[in-house]
Amino acid sequence: MSGQSAIERERAARKAAEAKLAVLEQSQKYKDPAVGLVVALADSADGVAIWDASQTLLACNEAYKGVFGHHPFVEPGIKYADLMDLTYQERMIWPEGFRDGDWRVSLKDRRTSKTMPRIILESHDGRWFRLQNRHTATGGTLSMVVDITKSLAEHRETQRQMIEAEAASRAKSAFLANMSHEIRTPMNGVVGMADLLCETTLDDEQTLYAKTIRNSAEALLVIINDVLDYSKLEAEKLVLHPETFDLEHLIHEVVMLLQPTAQDKGVDLLVDYDLFLPTHFTADPGRLRQIITNLLGNAVKFTDDGHVLVRVTGLPVSDSTEMRLHIAIEDTGIGIPPDRVGAIFGQYNQVDDVTHQRGNSTGLGLTISKELVELMGGEIWVDSEQGEGSVFGFHITVPHEAAPTRLRQIDTADLRSVLVVDDLDVNLTILKKQLQNFGLSVHCALSAKAAEELLAQTEVDLIITDHLMPETNGLEFAQSLRAKKDKRPIILLSSNPLVLRSSDASKVFDVVLQKPLARHALLSSLDQIQGRRPDHKAHAKTLNLTVAQQDTQSSSDRPMRILTAEDNATNRLVFEKMTKDLNVDLVFAHDGNEAVDLFRSHKPDLIFMDISMPEKDGYTACREIRDLETRPTPICALTAHIDIEAASVDHSARFDRTLTKPLKKGQLLEMISEFRPKTAAPLFSLPQSALHQADKAG
Ligand code: ADP
């Protein structure tokens, strides 16, 4: 422009003024106010054009002409049909996706359609436009063409990057799932065999080596799981699988798992499950178990004396069947320094003083728990005082299955008052609450001595005593009562019910219950004392000993038939060794085809089915068996996948249960015991060996 002479500039200005005048004249001529709009937008970067009812161009701005490369024909007066022909023949411009075909008819038809949807135009010089049209009041058309070349390029680049990122993340996820499977399969061999090795006769040095292998392998698995879970959460690939489950039972299972460690340290593990809280909820039980295991595991790890308590309460959410569940894990451990509490849920965050250096850890447990709780729509928090202890708590809002369970009252005809003896105040409080709710009057004593004093002055129908107490323990206390010819029923609460093996114990106690106590176990033992039949099944779940005892009773000599489909030879060996002491008829299938064949010929009472097998996988074999069966056969999936998400993608396969590898002997035996039909012989031939098995299983 700067090179233009004054004459040239004046000529250009005159030309522009003449063009505006011409448009204005046309506007007068056609009396269309939209022409004024085009004049007003003469310098706009977006192309604007106005067509009359006969689709003749009334006016357009420079940007509009620019779309057509300022072709001399594109001037007011040109017919829309002619403009289409011109651009088509000269291959100036075409609608997106129509580079090769004839698009003129569809574009002309579009003009007469009611809504005229937006379209994208591509130009021969690589530009892109968005075309929008409106019908005018006089029956014509207003066109607006916006150059979107730049934003489209950016958008396409973002999309390309997104697709690439998604593909990379999918590949990462698949890699992680595969890696998890690949690592866990041989680890099954390591853990399983080391487990079995520990049970053979070894000298002290060998025992130390074998236990070290087992503990190291288990620790490695925890770390692998943490890292894989964390990567999944980071890639937002973790999906929850809600289902209805028994929360109280789940909590007791976790507690039972940690009981041996707590017991070794002399730490009491307690559960206070709110009496009025229902037990069945809908959430992802696997993930909930993971959170609770994590928090409870930490609490046990960082507590050297005192107790760890799981407290479960809930509040109904008004106008819904949902409940806000609060689960808090309190410990009397070392606590967390105030300057570290705030960051404790951050990744790789560990308190780095000597007191916190305990065993294997990744510093990911709390991060994963926090992410999982948030994925469930809840919140997690911590309250801690150094040297005093910590409370880790979380809440989630979940649907519950039925109205809160109304605990029935005990028939109080000959059971009115009970004496509870425990050196731990918190335990007394929990028990008192539970027993009062059954309609009993409750007296508490913090020691055997205090109990004896109380018994001398108070009417008591039943005595419930803790096992390990300072000075006089529960067994000695009961023995001294029996020596005084006291015939009142006595229930022993013990975190180590092996005491049952001692004949002394069976002479003095009416019932021995595993600590921490499940409400139904307490209720059924009260029933038992009342002379009613106890609820064996519910009881059996919390008490491995009862499982074993039950399994010594049967009307038949036919051993339970088990079919296990597993392609990996080491895993078959592990399975065989883990079940070697059971009175079962076990056959192995090496792949899915053989599993289906053996289902027909062996008629198993229970099937264990590996998921990944050559030829025919576990899902397909399971489905085929479901089609063949005349009565439901329990089928338990065996998977080396890190979570059920990967294992149960194919829900149509309808597995009854899932066991994750490495297999745990205790879990395996519990499952076999659960599904042993009444018509099959007991799993353990001798009661003593039954008890022995159950101890190991626990
Ligand atoms: P990890 O236990 O694998 O180190 P976590 O994320 O579970 O990782 O815990 C992070 C850190 O928080 C622990 O290393 C420990 O220092 C501290 N911590 C967690 N729970 C407790 C607890 N109950 N008492 C004391 N410190 C705890």
Side-chain angles (χ1 to χ4, degrees):
M1 263 321 217
S2 56
Q4 272 185 338
S5 68
I7 298 175
E8 274 172 332
R9 276 203 299 277
E10 211 206 298
R11 195 178 293 151
R14 203 173 54 230
K15 221 174 148 204
E18 276 169 8
K20 277 187 187 168
L21 210 67
V23 169
L24 281 173
E25 274 172 15
Q26 295 206 18
S27 145
Q28 288 296 313
K29 183 172 156 202
Y30 290 98
K31 305 253 181 298
D32 194 326
V35 174
L37 177 71
V38 178
V39 174
L41 293 173
D43 299 325
S44 160
D46 300 328
V48 194
I50 180 84
W51 306 81
D52 70 7
S54 70
Q55 297 302 333
T56 304
L57 181 65
L58 291 182
C60 65
N61 64 1
E62 285 304 306
Y64 188 82
K65 289 181 188 170
V67 175
F68 305 92
H70 295 279
H71 194 284
F73 285 7
V74 184
E75 283 293 337
I78 189 169
K79 290 269 186 201
Y80 181 68
D82 295 338
L83 182 65
M84 291 297 100
D85 287 340
L86 174 75
T87 50
Y88 176 70
Q89 276 146 19
E90 304 254 324
R91 303 193 54 72
M92 273 184 205
I93 205 161
W94 54 86
E96 185 185 27
F98 274 94
R99 185 185 280 262
D100 299 321
D102 189 346
W103 41 265
R104 285 171 296 179
V105 176
S106 76
L107 235 66
K108 280 178 206 158
D109 287 350
R110 182 175 162 278
R111 280 247 153 151
T112 51
S113 81
K114 205 166 169 199
T115 49
M116 289 193 287
R118 295 170 175 196
I119 53 167
I120 304 293
L121 301 173
E122 195 181 343
S123 120
H124 67 101
D125 54 7
R127 287 178 300 157
W128 291 84
F129 301 99
R130 188 176 60 234
L131 171 65
Q132 274 169 276
N133 296 103
R134 291 279 179 279
H135 295 295
T136 64
T138 51
T141 311
L142 181 71
S143 301
M144 178 109 176
V145 191
V146 180
D147 189 333
I148 54 165
T149 315
K150 204 162 158 244
S151 57
L152 194 72
E154 283 166 4
H155 174 69
R156 292 203 167 153
E157 177 57 17
T158 322
Q159 262 197 334
R160 192 190 60 75
Q161 285 174 358
M162 253 171 64
I163 291 168
E164 258 180 26
E166 269 169 20
S169 149
R170 263 199 307 275
K172 181 171 150 195
S173 242
F175 169 74
L176 286 175
N178 256 338
M179 194 169 79
S180 147
H181 184 264
E182 294 306 315
I183 295 173
R184 293 175 72 89
T185 302
M187 288 299 278
N188 187 33
V190 179
V191 176
M193 282 298 172
D195 231 359
L196 294 166
L197 192 62
C198 290
E199 282 180 19
T200 60
T201 323
L202 301 174
D203 64 28
D204 287 353
E205 196 178 357
Q206 289 166 329
T207 307
L208 177 71
Y209 296 163
K211 279 193 172 163
T212 310
I213 298 176
R214 187 186 59 189
N215 295 347
S216 310
E218 278 179 356
L220 181 60
L221 270 175
V222 171
I223 295 173
I224 293 168
N225 290 353
D226 268 6
V227 173
L228 293 176
D229 263 352
Y230 181 64
S231 327
K232 270 195 152 184
L233 281 163
E234 237 208 341
E236 292 176 9
K237 288 285 165 207
L238 205 137
V239 186
L240 297 174
H241 295 286
E243 60 182 80
T244 302
F245 68 100
D246 183 338
L247 176 68
E248 193 185 12
H249 184 63
L250 183 146
I251 288 174
H252 272 89
E253 276 179 345
V254 178
V255 166
M256 292 301 291
L257 208 73
L258 290 160
Q259 182 74 290
T261 322
Q263 206 180 307
D264 284 352
K265 301 176 82 175
V267 170
D268 273 282
L269 254 185
L270 314 166
V271 178
D272 184 6
Y273 193 96
D274 189 328
L275 284 163
F276 298 101
L277 192 65
T279 50
H280 284 77
F281 294 93
T282 304
D284 185 329
R287 294 298 175 186
L288 206 56
R289 178 193 303 264
Q290 189 177 356
I291 300 166
I292 299 169
T293 308
N294 226 323
L295 301 182
L296 205 58
N298 277 346
V300 171
K301 184 155 83 174
F302 295 106
T303 303
D304 297 323
D305 48 3
H307 69 265
V308 171
L309 167 67
V310 188
R311 209 185 278 283
V312 190
T313 50
L315 280 175
V317 176
S318 51
D319 299 332
S320 82
T321 57
E322 290 192 327
M323 221 170 216
R324 189 175 153 116
L325 279 179
H326 284 249
I327 302 179
I329 286 119
E330 304 175 10
D331 68 56
T332 52
I334 59 173
I336 301 165
D339 60 323
R340 304 293 294 144
V341 172
I344 210 72
F345 290 108
Q347 65 221 48
Y348 318 118
N349 267 333
Q350 294 170 319
V351 178
D352 45 9
D353 60 26
V354 244
T355 51
H356 281 83
Q357 307 297 316
R358 297 186 177 199
N360 321 280
S361 57
T362 53
L364 286 176
L366 289 178
T367 315
I368 293 170
S369 301
K370 178 173 188 277
E371 300 257 344
L372 287 175
V373 168
E374 284 171 2
L375 201 63
M376 293 179 181
E379 239 183 321
I380 191 165
W381 68 89
V382 58
D383 192 3
S384 183
E385 203 164 313
Q386 198 168 8
E388 297 294 320
S390 314
V391 185
F392 280 85
F394 65 94
H395 70 76
I396 48 171
T397 300
V398 289
H400 64 84
E401 212 188 30
T405 358
R406 278 194 50 232
L407 287 169
R408 69 200 154 84
Q409 298 273 304
I410 286 289
D411 177 359
T412 50
D414 34 54
L415 206 59
R416 285 191 202 87
S417 79
V418 53
L419 167 67
V420 190
V421 194
D422 200 312
D423 58 311
L424 214 63
D425 219 4
V426 53
N427 218 4
L428 283 179
T429 315
I430 299 172
L431 266 168
K432 187 171 179 183
K433 225 166 49 179
Q434 290 183 334
L435 291 162
Q436 279 176 336
N437 208 271
F438 295 149
L440 297 167
S441 97
V442 186
H443 307 277
C444 297
L446 279 162
S447 68
K449 192 161 169 275
E452 281 182 20
E453 283 166 14
L454 228 146
L455 283 173
Q457 328 155 357
T458 324
E459 270 294 304
V460 166
D461 305 315
L462 164 72
I463 299 156
I464 300 180
T465 176
D466 182 30
H467 182 199
L468 296 178
M469 293 185 290
E471 295 169 27
T472 316
N473 72 30
L475 178 60
E476 292 158 353
F477 169 54
Q479 279 168 334
S480 81
L481 290 179
R482 294 295 183 236
K484 288 187 244 163
K485 303 274 175 272
D486 192 326
K487 292 211 167 50
R488 277 179 282 212
I490 310 178
I491 298 179
L492 177 74
L493 305 182
S494 173
S495 24
N496 184 7
L498 291 187
V499 73
L500 253 197
R501 268 151 93 193
S502 128
S503 52
D504 293 347
S506 52
K507 267 188 224 147
V508 293
F509 296 114
D510 295 80
V511 179
V512 175
L513 291 177
Q514 170 83 54
K515 267 187 16 178
L517 201 55
R519 285 184 306 175
H520 53 75
L522 178 64
L523 191 62
S524 60
S525 59
L526 292 177
D527 268 344
Q528 196 177 344
I529 281 168
Q530 286 287 72
R532 287 195 226 131
R533 275 194 58 74
D535 175 2
H536 266 302
K537 206 162 175 240
H539 198 178
K541 290 215 159 165
T542 52
L543 214 57
N544 275 319
L545 286 162
T546 321
V547 171
Q549 281 163 341
Q550 261 197 328
D551 279 333
T552 58
Q553 300 154 12
S554 166
S555 54
S556 155
D557 285 336
R558 165 182 87 75
M560 177 181 181
R561 288 186 293 264
I562 297 177
L563 162 64
T564 300
E566 170 65 77
D567 62 311
N568 182 298
T570 313
N571 289 346
R572 282 198 300 273
L573 190 62
V574 169
F575 195 101
E576 191 182 341
K577 296 292 179 192
M578 281 184 173
T579 53
K580 75 175 185 332
D581 294 326
L582 301 187
N583 180 24
V584 290
D585 179 0
L586 171 68
V587 290
F588 283 109
H590 297 71
D591 58 43
N593 282 326
E594 224 178 283
V596 178
D597 290 347
L598 279 169
F599 169 75
R600 285 199 190 93
S601 58
H602 191 62
K603 302 201 172 23
D605 299 308
L606 173 62
I607 302 174
F608 289 95
M609 179 81 73
D610 185 27
I611 297 289
S612 339
M613 289 187 290
E615 306 281 332
K616 185 174 283 172
D617 65 19
Y619 299 124
T620 319
C622 178
R623 264 195 305 272
E624 287 183 16
I625 289 172
R626 292 285 179 234
D627 288 343
L628 287 173
E629 67 190 0
T630 46
R631 59 181 169 80
T633 312
I635 308 183
C636 171
L638 300 180
T639 169
H641 275 287
I642 184 158
D643 52 35
I644 315 303
E645 181 188 322
S648 58
V649 263
D650 197 342
H651 292 285
S652 61
R654 308 206 316 272
F655 288 110
D656 297 277
R657 294 278 197 286
T658 305
L659 276 184
T660 324
K661 294 178 193 173
L663 293 182
K664 289 266 180 230
K665 189 170 169 181
Q667 286 175 335
L668 189 62
L669 298 198
E670 202 171 304
M671 188 141 323
I672 295 175
S673 179
E674 184 184 343
F675 288 111
R676 180 181 70 86
K678 289 270 177 294
T679 51
L683 296 176
F684 308 100
S685 28
L686 290 167
Q688 273 313 308
S689 90
L691 292 177
H692 180 68
Q693 279 303 325
D695 305 343
K696 294 244 158 98

